[in-house]
């Protein structure tokens, strides 16, 4: 691995990386807490959750393989030059592991909390299934020649493509309902911070090495930051400008959701009687 030329830039690189990691790590919890508080996942788009799980699972495969495998690192250096640093840091791997676990937990909330008439769309299931089918086919193709760098590059391309579309169902749902209730703005703000910090981290490495290879050598990470920033800004506009919800109105909705099961229970009891 190429040595850093500037201790200051190296330190800044690691600090920004872990700041992005903590921002992206914490960003899952506002949604988890919102779901728990409401005992409802109404307003959270299920297609987003499924696509998010597909995206983070594929991103974990890419990060872990490139970070831990000497063979894949060798293939990377043969392609981009032995003087180039591997564009995946420890915080990238740590983030991916946590993201998969956190998304699985949110998925479990969908199963146990009130979800109304919401369900995962057939298009979403088709997209997710197609993504893993492509990975399987590419694994079979790459196995004879041990083209592992090519394989994880395909996986990385898939996660970039999923990232580009995963926010769309939630954005469209907010637009259709003219509301962002059930979709945590805390998640959005922290997600935006993580995207900006991630991009800044990559810039430190690029400045130190005097090259842009780490940007297009890890195209997934670059596009990830740009897409995240774009959609998070869109969600901020939806929440604060297009569909603002007064605090009292939000509290009233929460009260109605909490009281509804208590009202329904006596009615059901009378019907059963």
């Amino acid at each position: 691995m190429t040595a850093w030329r500037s201790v200051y830039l190296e330190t800044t690189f690691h600090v920004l990386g872990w700041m992005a990691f903590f921002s992206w790590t914490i960003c899952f919890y506002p949604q988890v807490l919102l779901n728990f508080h409401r005992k409802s996942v109404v307003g959270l788009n299920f297609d987003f959750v499924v696509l998010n799980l597909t995206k983070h699972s594929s991103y974990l495969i890419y990060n872990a393989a490139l970070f831990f495998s000497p063979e894949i690192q060798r293939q990377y250096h043969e392609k981009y030059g032995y003087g180039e640093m591997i564009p995946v840091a420890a915080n990238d791997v740590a983030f991916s592991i946590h993201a998969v676990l956190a998304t699985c937990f949110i998925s479990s909330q969908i199963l146990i909390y009130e979800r109304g008439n919401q369900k995962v769309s057939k298009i979403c299931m088709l997209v997710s299934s197609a993504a893993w089918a492509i990975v399987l086919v590419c694994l079979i193709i790459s196995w004879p020649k041990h083209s592992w760098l090519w394989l994880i590059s395909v996986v990385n391309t898939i996660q970039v493509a999923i990232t580009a579309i995963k926010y769309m169902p939630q954005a469209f749902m907010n637009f259709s309902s003219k509301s962002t209730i059930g979709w945590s703005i805390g998640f959005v703000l922290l997600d935006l911070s993580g995207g900006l910090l991630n991009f800044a981290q990559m810039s430190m490495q690029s400045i130190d090495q005097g090259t842009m290879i780490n940007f297009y050598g890890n195209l997934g990470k670059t596009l990830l930051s740009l897409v995240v920033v774009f959609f998070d800004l869109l969600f901020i506009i939806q929440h604060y400008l297009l569909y603002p919800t007064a605090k009292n109105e939000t509290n009233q909705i929460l009260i109605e959701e909490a009281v509804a099961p208590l009202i329904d229970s006596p009615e059901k009891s009378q019907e059963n009687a």
Side-chain angles (χ1 to χ4, degrees):
M1 180 178 291
T2 303
W4 283 83
R5 299 171 184 172
S6 168
V7 176
Y8 171 77
L9 289 176
E10 180 182 11
T11 302
T12 305
F13 171 85
H14 290 297
V15 170
L16 289 173
W18 284 108
M19 287 176 65
F21 164 72
F22 284 116
S23 182
W24 268 338
T25 296
I26 298 171
C27 81
F28 290 93
Y29 294 100
Q31 187 66 57
V32 169
L33 294 175
L34 179 63
N35 296 342
F36 174 77
H37 180 67
R38 299 172 67 219
K39 297 296 186 292
S40 170
V41 290
V42 175
L44 171 63
N45 189 276
F46 298 168
D47 287 2
F48 166 77
V49 177
V50 172
L51 292 174
N52 208 28
L53 182 58
T54 302
K55 171 261 183 300
H56 285 305
S57 298
S58 55
Y59 195 43
L60 173 59
I61 293 172
Y62 172 80
N63 284 333
L66 188 53
F67 186 77
F68 290 112
S69 172
E71 174 62 19
I72 296 178
Q73 291 179 6
R74 181 187 64 78
Q75 293 179 17
Y76 180 89
H77 285 137
E78 287 179 351
K79 181 175 182 179
Y80 295 105
Y82 284 91
E84 300 301 327
M85 288 187 286
I86 297 299
V88 173
N91 61 275
D92 296 316
V93 180
F95 162 73
S96 295
I97 293 173
H98 177 270
V100 170
L101 295 176
T103 308
C104 286
F105 185 81
I106 292 176
S107 300
S108 71
Q109 289 184 311
I110 291 176
L111 298 176
I112 63 176
Y113 290 148
E114 169 62 32
R115 55 182 179 273
N117 60 356
Q118 294 180 207
K119 59 182 180 180
V120 179
S121 70
K122 292 181 180 179
I123 294 178
C124 173
M125 295 303 297
L126 179 63
V127 170
S128 184
S129 299
W132 292 116
I134 292 172
V135 172
L136 179 59
V137 171
C138 290
L139 175 61
I140 295 173
I141 294 174
S142 62
W143 193 282
K145 296 184 179 180
H146 295 176
S147 305
W148 306 128
L149 179 62
W150 173 78
L151 174 61
I152 67 168
S153 296
V154 172
V155 174
N156 194 35
T157 301
I158 289 174
Q159 76 88 10
V160 170
I162 296 295
T163 300
I165 65 174
K166 72 172 186 175
Y167 294 101
M168 293 181 182
Q170 185 67 59
F172 182 75
M173 184 177 181
N174 295 346
F175 170 76
S176 299
S177 63
K178 298 296 185 291
S179 171
T180 58
I181 294 176
W183 174 241
S184 174
I185 190 61
F187 166 85
V188 173
L189 296 175
L190 288 168
D191 193 43
L192 175 61
S193 298
L196 293 174
L197 289 166
N198 187 47
F199 195 78
Q201 181 197 27
M202 295 180 70
S203 299
M204 293 301 103
Q205 187 178 20
S206 181
I207 294 171
D208 181 81
Q209 299 297 305
T211 177
M212 299 292 288
I213 287 181
N214 68 302
F215 279 94
Y216 58 80
N218 191 1
L219 186 61
K221 191 174 181 180
T222 304
L223 294 181
L224 170 66
S225 298
L226 295 176
V227 171
V228 164
V229 169
F230 171 79
F231 275 101
D232 284 338
L233 289 175
L234 174 62
F235 288 131
I236 289 173
I237 292 173
Q238 285 184 323
H239 183 80
Y240 290 110
L241 299 179
L242 298 180
Y243 320 124
T245 303
K247 184 175 181 181
N248 291 336
E249 182 181 346
T250 303
N251 291 337
Q252 180 62 31
I253 292 173
L254 294 176
I255 291 172
E256 290 175 357
E257 290 178 345
V259 172
L262 301 178
I263 296 176
D264 291 341
S265 295
E267 293 177 353
K268 291 181 179 179
S269 299
Q270 291 176 3
E271 291 176 0
N272 294 333

